[in-house]
Amino acid sequence: MINIITNLDNVYDYSNTIQNYWRNQSGNTAILPNITSFKAVPDEEDKTLIHLTWDAATFENFSHYEIRCSKDWKLDARLGNIPNNQVVTDDLTENYLDYRIYNEDDGWAKDISFWIAAYDTRMNRSKDPVNVKLTYCIEPDKVPIVLIEQDKSNKRLIHITWQPIQSSVLDRYVIMVQEEDRKPVFLYVNKDTTNFDYYVSHSGILQVAVSAQLESGARIRRPEKAVYNISIAPNRIESLNLSVANMGLTITWKEPLNDDNDNLEYHYVVTKFNLTQEQFQTAFQNSDNNTELVNIYASVDGETEQQELDSSVLYSLAQNQGYEVIRELNTKALKASVDLSGEGLYKVQVFPHRHVWYINKDNKRINKIYEGPSVIQYVYVKS
């Protein structure tokens, strides 16, 4: 946005300051007519481009125009000097000039003043330099919509999409991605791109901002952020199966569906409950199939037939009888074998684990383990 100040009632008049500056610098005589109709008009497309126009000088022996500019002029005046006063041109003969605004801070500046004077061949100058002042913000339009979507089959993959902006001087898009407890990362993509894929390192709050950058380098200083809560904990395993032979338990399972199964490890726990077969059968007969946990089955006397149990009844009964952990271990395989300790009811529970590490905002390495939901099965084994 660029605003032209036309009412200068509340703006300090620096004409004497700039006139004295020029007079002391050049030693010329200020006797020529002033420039008239000095205007500064911002370009409709390129917000960093200012079109300067004025009425052509008509006095005899015209030589050239000199134009100077100053950014943040009020600050310069308070400091008692003119550090930003720049000669834009001192040999211009046409009565127009296109001026592009540059600034070290992403193309930003608070205000800018232009001054113009005409010279003849004897280096006489216009009586008073004519001034026009602009206040402006040259940032491009905001990117209207930024969407964050977590990939369904790879939880560490994040799809970032946005709507394009319309500008003939668009150079590229700047993407800021900041994961929780990490420093922000800045990425740059082509101006014709409206999507980007990013791999997160861990679970937590993810902030993403997309801003357009113009050819001049100008971009929004504080773009709006899209926020998403990322979880890369693995999904539950599939098809947990148990088989018993010679008091040995074989456990097999399949990898989680719709997940990135790299760096996965499986934690399994085998627990024996002090529960007699009669107590177990009572729980089985009282089952109402109202299971609250997935894949809870009973397999008695090696029968292949499996039926659902009432998880709450069985769990309460088993816990009241006491229990002991027979085996608890981590493995990268999809199979485990456990020697059983005699007749009784055994519970098998398998959790997928994902191991990750990242460098946090304090440059320290952080190791994390994310645990997925467990799958449980019960089996009664007779000796």
Side-chain angles (χ1 to χ4, degrees):
M1 176 181 65
I2 300 179
N3 296 323
I4 309 299
I5 294 182
T6 55
N7 182 0
L8 299 180
D9 292 342
N10 297 321
V11 177
Y12 183 79
D13 184 0
Y14 296 100
S15 297
N16 291 333
T17 304
I18 195 69
Q19 180 172 313
N20 291 333
Y21 180 81
W22 282 6
R23 179 184 296 114
N24 295 335
Q25 181 188 51
S26 63
N28 52 56
T29 304
I31 59 174
L32 300 177
N34 294 336
I35 296 298
T36 57
S37 301
F38 187 32
K39 298 178 181 179
V41 180
D43 189 88
E44 292 183 359
E45 286 286 341
D46 186 351
K47 296 183 179 182
T48 67
L49 188 62
I50 306 298
H51 302 295
L52 301 174
T53 61
W54 56 92
D55 292 339
T58 58
F59 53 80
E60 294 182 358
N61 301 319
F62 167 75
S63 173
H64 65 277
Y65 302 102
E66 181 173 352
I67 298 178
R68 293 175 180 265
C69 78
S70 178
K71 299 174 184 177
D72 299 326
W73 186 255
K74 187 177 293 185
L75 174 63
D76 300 339
R78 287 201 306 269
L79 295 176
N81 55 29
I82 313 178
N84 287 335
N85 186 263
Q86 307 170 28
V87 177
V88 177
T89 178
D90 58 4
D91 60 358
L92 182 67
T93 57
E94 294 85 1
N95 63 325
Y96 64 89
L97 177 71
D98 287 342
Y99 179 84
R100 188 175 297 280
I101 300 171
Y102 288 101
N103 187 276
E104 295 79 10
D105 188 9
D106 293 335
W108 277 63
K110 293 182 180 178
D111 58 53
I112 187 169
S113 295
F114 292 100
W115 309 80
I116 188 170
Y119 288 79
D120 64 14
T121 55
R122 295 180 181 181
M123 291 304 295
N124 294 314
R125 180 179 54 79
S126 301
K127 181 179 179 181
D128 296 310
V130 177
N131 162 254
V132 63
K133 182 176 180 179
L134 295 75
T135 59
Y136 66 94
C137 169
I138 58 176
E139 65 183 15
D141 295 332
K142 291 183 178 181
V143 176
I145 297 178
V146 178
L147 300 176
I148 305 174
E149 182 181 8
Q150 193 169 9
D151 193 86
K152 294 181 179 179
S153 60
N154 185 346
K155 292 188 174 183
R156 298 185 67 170
L157 178 60
I158 305 301
H159 303 295
I160 304 169
T161 59
W162 60 90
Q163 289 189 356
I165 69 165
Q166 304 300 321
S167 174
S168 63
V169 291
L170 177 64
D171 182 47
R172 61 185 179 180
Y173 290 101
V174 181
I175 305 173
M176 188 286 296
V177 180
Q178 184 170 17
E179 299 181 58
E180 187 172 319
D181 194 36
R182 294 198 72 186
K183 295 179 180 179
V185 176
F186 292 90
L187 308 160
Y188 304 91
V189 297
N190 186 278
K191 63 181 180 180
D192 298 321
T193 303
T194 56
N195 61 84
F196 187 83
D197 287 344
Y198 181 84
Y199 285 86
V200 296
S201 61
H202 65 290
S203 297
I205 299 299
L206 179 71
Q207 299 183 72
V208 176
V210 181
S211 57
Q213 187 169 33
L214 304 181
E215 293 174 352
S216 63
R219 62 183 175 90
I220 294 178
R221 184 179 278 181
R222 296 180 179 87
E224 294 181 1
K225 296 179 181 178
V227 180
Y228 194 92
N229 190 8
I230 299 293
S231 173
I232 62 171
N235 295 330
R236 67 175 75 250
I237 64 169
E238 294 292 324
S239 302
L240 177 60
N241 295 302
L242 310 177
S243 62
V244 179
N246 300 321
M247 296 307 294
L249 175 64
T250 300
I251 312 166
T252 59
W253 60 89
K254 292 184 179 180
E255 293 180 331
L257 292 177
N258 298 324
D259 203 347
D260 174 19
N261 294 318
D262 290 339
N263 299 319
L264 281 191
E265 191 174 68
Y266 302 94
H267 181 74
Y268 66 92
V269 183
V270 179
T271 306
K272 181 183 179 182
F273 295 91
N274 298 324
L275 193 66
T276 65
Q277 184 175 8
E278 288 75 19
Q279 292 171 319
F280 172 72
Q281 291 286 8
T282 299
F284 173 74
Q285 293 170 1
N286 291 337
S287 171
D288 61 3
N289 292 327
N290 183 24
T291 58
E292 298 179 8
L293 299 175
V294 298
N295 294 339
I296 301 179
Y297 295 100
S299 178
V300 183
D301 296 335
E303 296 283 343
T304 56
E305 180 181 358
Q306 294 181 326
Q307 299 186 41
E308 292 187 4
L309 296 172
D310 184 335
S311 60
S312 59
V313 172
L314 182 59
Y315 179 79
S316 176
L317 183 60
Q319 291 295 101
N320 291 334
Q321 297 300 317
Y323 64 93
E324 60 177 318
V325 176
I326 303 299
R327 185 79 177 272
E328 183 173 5
L329 200 65
N330 291 332
T331 179
K332 289 181 178 289
L334 301 175
K335 181 179 180 180
S337 298
V338 180
D339 292 330
L340 303 179
S341 60
E343 179 176 334
L345 176 66
Y346 291 86
K347 180 179 77 170
V348 178
Q349 194 168 9
V350 180
F351 308 81
H353 285 177
R354 172 165 286 126
H355 295 254
V356 300
W357 67 271
Y358 64 93
I359 302 298
N360 73 353
K361 58 186 177 183
D362 298 320
N363 293 321
K364 295 181 180 179
R365 175 172 172 141
I366 305 297
N367 296 293
K368 291 275 190 178
I369 298 177
Y370 297 107
E371 182 177 88
S374 66
V375 174
I376 302 173
Q377 282 201 32
Y378 288 86
V379 58
Y380 195 92
V381 179
K382 293 189 65 176
S383 58

